[in-house]
Amino acid sequence: MGRIARNKSLPYISFLFLLSLSVALVFTSSAYALNEELMEIQQSIQFKGANWTAGETTVSRIKPEERSNLLGLLKPDVMDEDWSAPVEELPSFAAAALPVSLDWRSYNGANYVSPVRNQWGCGSCWAFATTAALESKVLMADNTPGYDLNLAEQFMVSCSSAGNCSGGYISSASSFLRDTGLPAEECFPYSASNNSCSNACPTWSSYTYHISGYRWIAQWNATEDALKNALSTYGPLVTTMDVYSDFYYYTTGVYSKASGTYEGGHAILLVGYDDAAQCFIAKNSWGNGWGESGFFRIAYSQLRSEVKFGENTIAFDGQPDVPTCVFSLSSGSAMLRHSGGSVRVMIQADDPGCSWTASSNVPWIGVSGRSSGTGTKTVRIRAYKNTEYQERTGTVIIAGKTFTVTQAAKPIRNRR
């Protein structure tokens, strides 16, 4: 009788099977824990009659021990000189004087709130909230709603001494915006790390955005009237809250704490309110995959709950100072054939932080691709087909300068 051949690879295959099984069990256990946490939150929302929805978000999927990196607010020391300024006593507007709702994302149809950013795994909420308030202040002062003014949070984290990825103070950050200011994002791209201030662009000091000053709207005792008055008077506000673990699962609705453990302090941008829904509206810094595309609504009642929404609130006042940039164009005009065509124009900026826009003044000329940016870039100007038997001229405003496009007439020989 012949021998039965032994398969020497069986022990190795068995080892791989056991290893994959153990890994699967770990992931299954982790997923079960997250699902169990979510179900407990959903049950608490239903039991308390809260008016919001909990679900999986880009934040809830992060390991629980890493979620605290999404916070970072350090609460002020009452002995700090930045804390010594008195709370602003705004005149109390009559109820009829304030609108029943206000949202700086659609103020008279215009958006004065910059896009939602992401602080990633760095406790820099304090830097993002104050930077967002400065961006809004500039959009309001320049009357440039909808423009994506993107200032360098990394410069705040690395150069301000107001904090770092382990946390920071909104008061010290506001003082830094007043005394030093921020350059554009391109000057010091965000790296979600402490980084070194020496890595900022060398000419940053000549091209920074400043606030002229700031004032406290609340120190520990925020009220609905104070926050609503300040929103109407100054625009978006830097404010704070205490985060509990259920907040990571917020997807939509008017948030009120349902359950969960205390996670830490957090700074955000207050952008509006809605009396009908009895809530404030705020911009977070956790990206667009959390909440209502990065924003959230929170009940007025949370001013008086353990969430302490609005506990410390700052308004930026006066007119912001913006950098003066010098631009030049590679050419000032172009001649294009009647059938249409395009031309590339280089925008030369004296600093990489200088921002610009390009827009056409006539419907037959378009700006293809990039229509805004910072620093030295190239834009493409395109003319559509001229169906008329006469030459035409139009202009494009690029970085505040006029670029003239002349287009040839349709040839007479093509007339039928």
Side-chain angles (χ1 to χ4, degrees), residues 336-338 340 364 383-386 391-392 405-409:
L336 298 177
R337 58 183 181 272
H338 86 280
W364 55 272
Y384 300 100
K385 184 176 182 180
N386 187 359
E391 184 180 271
R392 60 184 179 181
V405 176
T406 302
Q407 187 175 26

Side-chain angles (χ1 to χ4, degrees), residues 154-393:
Q154 189 63 54
F155 190 82
M156 176 77 80
V157 172
S158 300
C159 306
S160 71
S161 298
N164 51 41
C165 281
S166 297
Y169 299 93
I170 60 171
S171 54
S172 300
S174 298
S175 292
F176 183 77
L177 292 181
R178 179 194 62 203
D179 301 335
T180 303
L182 288 185
E185 174 73 8
E186 284 77 7
C187 181
F188 203 170
Y190 186 67
S191 61
S193 65
N194 288 328
N195 215 320
S196 170
C197 189
S198 62
N199 290 324
C201 63
T203 55
W204 66 262
S205 60
S206 300
Y207 301 96
T208 53
Y209 294 76
H210 298 251
I211 57 171
S212 60
Y214 70 93
R215 61 191 66 221
W216 289 99
I217 302 303
Q219 294 175 332
W220 311 124
N221 56 349
T223 65
E224 293 172 28
D225 288 344
L227 297 185
K228 289 163 64 175
N229 275 307
L231 276 167
S232 180
T233 303
Y234 298 109
L237 310 170
V238 182
T239 195
T240 67
M241 64 184 291
D242 283 348
V243 168
Y244 288 80
S245 52
D246 64 344
F247 191 62
Y248 297 131
Y249 291 88
Y250 170 85
T251 59
T252 190
V254 178
Y255 174 80
S256 58
K257 179 181 175 289
S259 65
T261 57
Y262 172 73
E263 300 289 303
H266 192 41
I268 55 271
L269 185 73
L270 183 56
V271 302
Y273 66 86
D274 183 353
D275 284 344
Q278 289 288 288
C279 70
F280 289 108
I281 307 163
K283 172 186 170 182
N284 206 346
S285 52
W286 294 349
N288 294 308
W290 175 90
E292 296 178 332
S293 298
F295 292 84
F296 67 99
R297 290 173 288 158
I298 184 167
Y300 290 159
S301 63
Q302 300 308 286
L303 273 67
R304 300 171 292 277
S305 78
E306 59 265 56
V307 172
K308 300 176 184 175
F309 185 81
E311 181 177 44
N312 297 313
T313 302
I314 288 175
F316 293 166
D317 58 9
Q319 291 287 91
D321 295 324
V322 300
T324 301
C325 297
V326 178
F327 294 101
S328 61
L329 304 181
S330 56
S331 63
S333 62
M335 181 72 183
L336 298 177
R337 58 183 181 272
H338 86 280
S339 59
S342 64
V343 61
R344 294 183 182 276
V345 183
M346 176 175 285
I347 305 167
Q348 295 174 316
D350 60 343
D351 186 87
C354 290
S355 58
W356 50 264
T357 60
S359 60
S360 171
N361 289 329
V362 293
W364 55 272
I365 301 176
V367 180
S368 301
R370 187 192 309 273
S371 61
S372 65
T374 57
T376 298
K377 297 288 190 306
T378 299
V379 295
R380 183 184 176 204
I381 309 301
R382 180 186 178 190
Y384 300 100
K385 184 176 182 180
N386 187 359
T387 59
E388 302 297 326
Y389 293 103
Q390 57 185 10
E391 184 180 271
R392 60 184 179 181
T393 300

